[in-house]
């Protein structure tokens, strides 16, 4: 039996850690690892057209499955292309192992062709980034990298020179037990006691939820019901907390809607549950705040806290629910539910008048029809920019759907690569990429990856021939739009030339049929929808104090417009409000 080399040992360890796919682009220093993957039936090499796509895809796979995912880049420029997707995965707390292949070990530090120092370059976007300098070192170093990625939630990077990857592996290498899941964290008794006392002493409590509430929907609902609390959410908390929620008051932030802003500012006690919501202009500074988070470094970095609680949301609520006193007075909750319903009723008609005849097509209409026709367990990947707005306001969560985007890192061009990673986890599950024309064009080459692997991803392209969110930022700042126009091709014709099913939609009456045909098609499909570039509804409260990006000072809402089926949920929740 031939002796195993370092690359083969590396791939074996990844397989033992549960890695199913290795996304990347082959080349020189990476070749020994790619050849080892070729001969290992437990892992598939996924050949993408750009390493940035590889990192985004791995991050999406990790977020979809909860398991470790992996990507790779060859030395120098190859692994440098990974960095943007790795930043996104790290900030999304997705467990990803990145292999940064390196130049020959004897040439490191001598200005060799394509030389970089990946072990240093990736430190800011990883929990662990180290260089393998000998075959004997590799197994323990890779084990440590895996433990960091899975145990701490985020990225680890292993830099491996190609010549070391091709050397014989050491005999009798120790097979260390690997971390494959994160533990639950229960807060200390003192923190639980303090939080119970704060809740019992408060008449008006609001819960504001982020992605840390994943898996805790039942506990949040039970807790909110017991203390008669409105429940708002950040964008990353939407998919986990908005569905089946009789206490829902919407979302805060620039993309927000409903009464979440009022509920967080008019309460006596605001409890932040599993959220690292970064826009402190939307958080109050004159109410008591308690924060619960499993990541201690998140506690208090956005707002001044009266109590910091280190623990999982689910475990913390399980400790709180039997101990807090049930509140009988629901006046604050009912008032917020009424405000929420009134706010949604006030904007729901903004894009409902003759939308089936309006040309160019309203993007809100596209999102609403997409939401209605997509599967109940669909995975939506969402481009940064205006697609975030349409996803936030029109996609209806139900506990089975997933919505994945670059919500913390805010990168362009993320939706299509993320769809690749999500689809490889389950070819039978519907995956929809909500792409903007700017983002799609940036990494359009990896549409070819869909065709090469016959991945049944459905790309719904919101094509307004502009960088819409940037135009909005300029408008808010009082600047004329400049450098934001895109001269686009017929994207459907491009997709058909690549070998995919594709159709261009220019009239609203064509939309539903085009989406149904795309969803029925067994392979990759693209629906290029020409949308209205002027679909940026700005309320009359704009002031000079507003700033670009996702923060504002004088007004709580910059975007206005419809909110899809959420108004029906708000109306339904009003049935719980006693009639006086």
């Amino acid at each position: 039996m031939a002796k195993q080399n370092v690359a083969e040992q590396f791939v074996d360890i990844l397989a033992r850690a549960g890695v199913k796919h290795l996304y990347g682009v082959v080349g020189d220093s990476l070749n020994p690892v790619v050849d080892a993957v070729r001969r290992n039936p437990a892992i598939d090499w996924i050949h993408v057209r750009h390493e940035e796509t590889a990192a985004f895809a791995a991050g999406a796979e990790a977020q979809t499955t909860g398991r470790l995912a992996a990507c790779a880049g060859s030395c120098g420029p190859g692994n440098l292309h990974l960095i943007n997707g790795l930043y996104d995965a790290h900030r999304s707390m997705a467990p990803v192992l990145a292999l940064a292949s390196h130049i020959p070990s004897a040439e490191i530090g001598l200005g060799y062709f394509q030389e970089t120092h990946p072990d240093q370059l990736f430190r800011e976007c990883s929990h662990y980034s180290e260089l393998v300098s000998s075959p004997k070192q590799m197994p323990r170093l890779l084990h440590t990298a895996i433990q960091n990625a899975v145990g701490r939630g985020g990225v680890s990077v292993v830099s491996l020179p190609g010549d070391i990857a091709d050397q014989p592996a050491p005999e009798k290498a120790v097979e260390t037990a690997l971390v494959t899941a994160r533990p639950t964290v229960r807060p200390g008794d003192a923190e639980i006691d303090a939080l119970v006392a704060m809740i019992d002493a408060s008449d008006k409590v609001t819960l504001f939820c982020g992605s840390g509430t994943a898996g805790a929907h039942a506990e949040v609902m039970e807790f909110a019901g017991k203390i008669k609390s409105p429940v708002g959410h950040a964008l990353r908390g939407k998919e986990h907390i908005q569905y089946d929620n009789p206490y829902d008051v919407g979302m805060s932030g620039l993309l927000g809607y409903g009464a979440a802003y009022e509920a967080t500012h008019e309460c006596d006690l605001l409890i932040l549950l599993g959220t690292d919501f970064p826009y402190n202009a939307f958080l109050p500074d004159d109410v008591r705040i308690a924060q619960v988070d499993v990541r201690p470094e998140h506690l208090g970095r956005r707002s001044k806290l009266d109590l910091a609680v280190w623990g999982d949301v689910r475990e913390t609520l399980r400790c709180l629910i039997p101990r807090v006193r049930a509140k009988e007075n629901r006046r604050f909750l009912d008032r917020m539910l009424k405000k929420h319903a009134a706010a949604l009723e006030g904007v729901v008609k903004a894009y409902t008048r003759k939308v089936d005849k309006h040309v160019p097509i309203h993007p809100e209409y596209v999102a609403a029809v997409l939401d209605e026709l997509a599967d109940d367990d669909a995975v939506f990947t969402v481009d940064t920019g205006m697609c975030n707005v349409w996803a936030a306001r029109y996609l209806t969560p139900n506990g089975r759907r997933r919505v994945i985007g670059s919500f913390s890192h805010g990168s362009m061009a993320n939706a299509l690569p993320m769809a690749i990673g999500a689809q490889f986890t389950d070819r039978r599950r519907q995956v929809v990429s909500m792409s903007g024309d700017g983002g799609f064009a940036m990494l359009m080459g990896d549409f070819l990856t869909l065709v090469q692997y016959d991945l049944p991803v459905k790309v719904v392209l919101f094509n307004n021939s502009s960088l819409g969110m940037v135009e909005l930022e300029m408008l808010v700042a009082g600047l004329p739009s400049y450098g934001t126009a895109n001269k686009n091709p017929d994207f459907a014709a491009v997709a058909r030339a690549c070998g995919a099913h594709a159709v261009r939609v220019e009239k609203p009456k064509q939309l539903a049929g085009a989406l149904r045909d795309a969803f029925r098609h067994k392979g990759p499909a693209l629906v290029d929808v020409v949308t209205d570039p002027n679909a940026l509804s700005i309320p009359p409260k704009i002031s000079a104090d507003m700033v670009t990006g996702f923060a504002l000072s004088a007004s709580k809402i910059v975007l206005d417009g419809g909110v899809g089926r959420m108004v029906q949920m708000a109306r339904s929740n009003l049935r719980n409000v006693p009639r006086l």
Side-chain angles (χ1 to χ4, degrees):
M1 183 175 178
K3 185 175 175 60
Q4 194 178 48
N5 67 15
V6 170
E8 292 168 324
Q9 189 178 61
F10 185 97
V11 173
D12 279 351
I13 293 171
L14 289 186
R16 285 203 300 116
V19 172
K20 304 297 183 184
H21 309 102
L22 187 57
Y23 301 88
V25 178
V26 300
D28 45 70
S29 57
L30 193 56
N31 289 342
V33 174
V34 176
D35 189 61
V37 172
R38 177 182 65 84
R39 291 179 281 109
N40 191 315
I43 294 183
D44 290 326
W45 175 261
I46 307 301
H47 167 47
V48 296
R49 304 307 172 99
H50 195 295
E51 288 92 349
E52 183 175 353
T53 295
F56 272 126
E61 178 178 324
Q63 291 179 71
T64 304
T65 65
R67 298 192 308 262
L68 181 69
C71 57
S74 59
C75 64
N79 63 60
L80 280 178
H81 285 157
L82 295 171
I83 196 163
N84 192 49
L86 292 182
Y87 260 98
D88 182 83
H90 193 58
R91 299 188 70 180
S92 300
M93 295 182 286
V96 171
L97 188 287
L99 169 60
S101 187
H102 207 352
I103 63 172
S105 55
E107 301 294 341
I108 295 174
L110 299 175
Y112 191 71
F113 175 65
Q114 294 187 323
E115 181 173 7
T116 59
H117 293 87
D119 53 315
Q120 300 174 37
L121 285 166
F122 291 103
R123 282 180 182 166
E124 189 174 320
C125 62
S126 66
H127 291 304
Y128 183 85
S129 181
E130 292 294 345
L131 170 68
V132 175
S133 56
S134 74
K136 188 175 181 179
Q137 176 198 19
M138 193 281 295
R140 285 193 300 156
L141 193 148
L142 180 55
H143 288 148
T144 304
I146 291 170
Q147 315 290 47
N148 273 272
V150 176
R152 300 174 69 183
V155 170
S156 284
V157 181
V158 174
S159 300
L160 178 63
D163 61 312
I164 292 180
D166 210 19
Q167 291 179 22
E171 294 182 5
K172 297 182 180 179
V174 176
E175 290 195 358
T176 305
L178 293 168
V179 166
T180 56
R182 298 180 67 186
T184 57
V185 178
R186 181 196 182 280
D189 291 337
E191 286 72 27
I192 292 295
D193 292 342
L195 186 51
V196 168
M198 290 178 71
I199 295 167
D200 287 347
S202 302
D203 294 326
K204 300 179 293 184
V205 182
T206 292
L207 307 181
F208 187 68
C209 303
S211 61
T213 58
H217 182 274
E219 287 78 8
V220 173
M221 296 304 110
E222 184 179 358
F223 184 58
K226 189 169 185 179
I227 65 172
K228 305 300 184 289
S229 171
V231 178
H233 60 269
L235 178 54
R236 289 190 67 197
K238 173 185 171 75
E239 64 176 323
H240 306 298
I241 216 66
Q242 187 188 34
Y243 68 96
D244 296 339
N245 182 355
Y247 317 105
D248 178 57
V249 291
M251 189 173 88
S252 192
L254 178 69
L255 312 185
Y257 51 80
Y261 184 91
E262 288 84 353
T264 56
H265 283 71
E266 297 180 25
C267 59
D268 299 328
L269 173 63
L270 173 62
I271 304 178
L272 306 176
L273 293 177
T275 179
D276 191 36
F277 182 72
Y279 314 120
N280 54 17
F282 289 92
L283 295 173
D285 54 13
D286 57 353
V287 303
R288 291 188 301 165
I289 300 178
Q291 184 178 1
V292 179
D293 206 292
V294 73
R295 300 283 288 265
E297 66 270 24
H298 290 177
L299 295 169
R301 74 175 181 178
R302 307 300 184 191
S303 58
K304 181 179 180 296
L305 297 184
D306 295 274
L307 180 64
V309 180
W310 181 12
D312 295 324
V313 170
R314 187 178 182 184
E315 292 300 313
T316 301
L317 293 183
R318 287 178 170 180
C319 294
L320 290 175
I321 290 169
R323 295 193 52 190
V324 296
R325 288 199 303 266
K327 297 185 186 298
E328 302 300 327
N329 187 337
R330 56 177 291 150
R331 283 196 297 268
F332 176 61
L333 170 60
D334 292 342
R335 183 161 61 87
M336 290 300 111
L337 291 175
K338 289 177 180 178
K339 278 194 173 188
H340 180 60
L344 298 195
E345 294 284 0
V347 300
V348 74
K349 295 179 180 177
Y351 290 98
T352 57
R353 296 189 184 96
K354 299 181 179 178
V355 292
D356 57 339
K357 298 179 181 178
H358 184 89
V359 177
I361 302 170
H362 279 312
E364 295 88 345
Y365 178 67
V366 181
V369 175
L370 173 61
D371 178 60
E372 181 179 346
L373 296 181
D375 289 350
D376 288 341
D377 66 343
V379 179
F380 298 91
T381 60
V382 183
D383 259 345
T384 297
M386 295 309 296
C387 283
N388 270 197
V389 182
W390 317 140
R393 297 188 171 193
Y394 288 88
L395 295 185
T396 306
N398 58 12
R400 298 171 62 202
R401 286 179 165 180
R402 295 298 314 275
V403 182
I404 299 172
S406 186
F407 300 138
S408 295
H409 187 50
S411 174
M412 281 183 67
N414 62 285
L416 173 62
M418 286 181 166
I420 291 171
Q423 192 72 83
F424 265 115
T425 68
D426 186 352
R427 284 178 171 269
R428 296 167 298 178
R429 190 174 186 181
Q430 186 181 80
V431 176
V432 180
S433 172
M434 293 177 64
S435 297
D437 58 287
F440 181 76
M442 185 176 283
L443 286 176
M444 186 168 58
D446 269 294
F447 190 81
L448 296 170
T449 301
L450 302 184
V451 177
Q452 179 159 333
Y453 289 96
D454 197 29
L455 281 179
V457 169
K458 314 307 176 189
V459 178
V460 179
L461 186 58
F462 289 72
N463 183 2
N464 64 0
S465 297
S466 70
L467 303 178
M469 182 60 77
V470 180
E471 286 192 354
L472 176 61
E473 292 170 353
M474 290 179 171
L475 180 60
V476 169
L479 301 172
S481 60
Y482 182 75
T484 58
N486 294 327
K487 185 176 181 179
N488 289 328
D490 180 337
F491 285 112
V494 173
R496 287 193 296 271
C498 293
H501 170 87
V503 62
R504 185 176 175 91
V505 176
E506 297 180 346
K507 297 180 180 179
K509 65 181 181 181
Q510 302 169 332
L511 179 63
L515 288 174
R516 288 192 184 98
D517 288 345
F519 290 158
R520 282 193 293 262
H521 183 70
K522 295 186 182 298
L526 180 141
V527 181
D528 178 10
V529 187
V530 180
T531 60
D532 188 352
N534 298 313
L536 300 174
S537 181
I538 308 300
K541 292 185 179 180
I542 294 220
S543 77
D545 294 327
M546 293 185 183
V547 295
T548 56
F550 289 84
L552 76 169
S553 57
S555 175
K556 62 183 177 294
I557 298 176
V558 168
L559 294 170
D560 201 353
V563 287
R565 287 188 279 176
M566 286 178 286
V567 71
Q568 279 78 31
M569 187 174 71
R571 291 168 181 164
S572 175
N573 287 346
L574 282 183
R575 298 171 189 162
N576 300 317
V577 177
R579 295 183 181 274
L580 301 176

